[in-house]
Amino acid sequence: MSIETLVENPTIPAESAPVMSGVFDRANFDDCVMTTYGRFPLALERGEGCRVWDTDGREYLDFVAGIATCTLGHAHPALVETVTRQIKTLHHVSNLYYIPVQGELAKWLVEHSCADRVFFCNSGAEANEGAIKLARKYAHTVLGIKEPVILTAHASFHGRTLATITATGQPKYQKNFDPLMPGFDYVPYNDIEAVKNAIADLDTGDQRVCAILMEALQGEGGVRPGDVEYFQQLRQICDETGILLIMDEVQVGMGRSGKFWGYENLGIEPDIFTSAKGLGGGIPIGATLCKKFCAVFGPGDHASTYGGNPFACAVSLTVCQTLERENILQNVQERGEQLRAGLRAIASKYPNLIAEVRGWGLIDGMELKADIELTSADVVKAAMAEGLLLVPAGPKVLRFVPPLIVTEREIDLALQALGRALSSAVA
Ligand code: PLP
């Protein structure tokens, strides 16, 4: 087929489509794919809105959304349109050249956040790597710190690269991967005295704290919202000392909390923040964003071949504009309240089983009592049998992170399925 024919009729010729058997071969999968994930025994092949279907045609309500990622759900018409248009036009060229849609997405993000500058990459870990590098360069070149330290929180999660597992305050993610990166230390979350003490203890000789990296709400660490007073004091400490405040918005940002950014719930602005997951609605993209005064990267300091390519940026811009045009944040707030009220009603029926319901917008958690045998994974399995997909946030917390377009009826159905799942799990 000639180039001209393809351009005139850019549908995929049948002979060019990938050869797939259409049959799920679990033995082959287990043989060939590295076993880095403890997968549930479910193979998904299709989705629409907040629903997905497995290879046997069974339907599930998807309250996982690719782990807080599919902002607009599955097969959203606006995404289908953008993906189709962009792949037919231009999908990747590299940052050797100007990419107009990258500039448009950066403008949207700057206009809808406290940031002035954006660096694009492909994932949350990569966005945090960018933030860590930015803070270190600022420390060396502006603050004159020879041995900069970044403070993070216990139970935090910042990714799986070497720097971000070091930043992650959970030893289980670091085990067997030492030596870890130097230049990190940890404090309990929501404890301002601990921060003050750590800064005083760590500031010795050439070593000084240059940045504090925190999640506005700890997602993987158990859906724990940040405390307003704590974050305001943190902001004040940073203002007084010149320490940079970095917020990891990878899971809680892009509307999931009911506001565009998690930090808006805390009444503060970070100096640097990171985004990924919901930013692309399921297409890989990440971003490191910062205020002008700390935008110290120059040419050659940082890069990513795929970062900010036309395809990912066009999809992300569609996600951003759809969130705004369709006033989806209001849906997040209303559905979030409905969900938490329903979860609390369920919790009141099981006082010996459920310790707490908490969250913001559509990132909500239900914590099981510590002294019972039942784990979050047990309930996730029971919910799956009832047609509801959930994801644990640690051994005792169930996480609810549906697409932000979830409807009132779907929340009701999910609560009914959870009620059935809990009664079968304790039977
Ligand atoms: N930061 C936070 C708060 C996250 O929740 C995650 C992933 O769960 C990451 C960073 C890492 O993102 P990614 O898996 O895209 O690298």
Side-chain angles (χ1 to χ4, degrees), residues 165-223:
I165 58 165
T166 310
T168 293
Q170 300 193 55
K172 69 175 180 188
Y173 293 114
Q174 302 167 340
K175 192 171 166 221
N176 291 332
F177 296 114
D178 49 313
L180 298 174
M181 298 275 295
F184 290 89
D185 214 324
Y186 315 92
V187 285
Y189 191 56
N190 281 340
D191 179 345
I192 203 68
E193 288 311 311
V195 172
K196 289 180 188 164
N197 293 337
I199 293 171
D201 291 349
L202 289 163
D203 284 1
T204 52
D206 288 339
Q207 176 180 272
R208 263 168 61 199
V209 173
C210 72
I212 299 174
L213 166 60
M214 291 279 159
E215 292 158 88
L217 171 153
Q218 290 191 325
E220 302 294 316
V223 190

Side-chain angles (χ1 to χ4, degrees), residues 218-230:
Q218 290 191 325
E220 302 294 316
V223 190
R224 290 178 201 288
D227 179 57
V228 174
E229 203 183 322
Y230 168 76

Side-chain angles (χ1 to χ4, degrees), residues 215-293:
E215 292 158 88
L217 171 153
Q218 290 191 325
E220 302 294 316
V223 190
R224 290 178 201 288
D227 179 57
V228 174
E229 203 183 322
Y230 168 76
F231 271 91
Q232 298 201 344
Q233 291 184 34
L234 210 52
R235 180 65 270 177
Q236 198 181 337
I237 291 173
C238 290
D239 288 342
E240 286 165 7
T241 56
I243 291 172
L244 294 170
L245 182 57
I246 310 174
M247 303 287 285
D248 179 338
E249 293 272 348
V250 168
Q251 186 155 165
V252 77
M254 278 303 289
R256 185 151 289 282
S257 73
K259 301 195 186 285
F260 271 124
W261 305 108
Y263 63 75
E264 293 174 50
N265 297 278
L266 302 167
I268 54 143
E269 289 186 355
D271 302 308
I272 301 173
F273 71 96
T274 55
S275 180
K277 287 191 182 276
L279 180 63
I283 298 296
I285 184 168
T288 307
L289 305 96
C290 71
K291 296 213 171 183
K292 202 171 178 176
F293 82 91

Side-chain angles (χ1 to χ4, degrees), residues 62-80:
D62 182 8
F63 272 49
V64 178
I67 316 189
T69 293
C70 298
T71 315
L72 303 179
H74 302 279
H76 190 286
L79 287 190
V80 173

Side-chain angles (χ1 to χ4, degrees), residues 319-330:
V319 172
C320 294
Q321 291 175 346
T322 306
L323 274 184
E324 195 170 28
R325 191 179 55 247
E326 297 183 4
N327 197 14
I328 290 175
L329 292 195
Q330 192 177 336

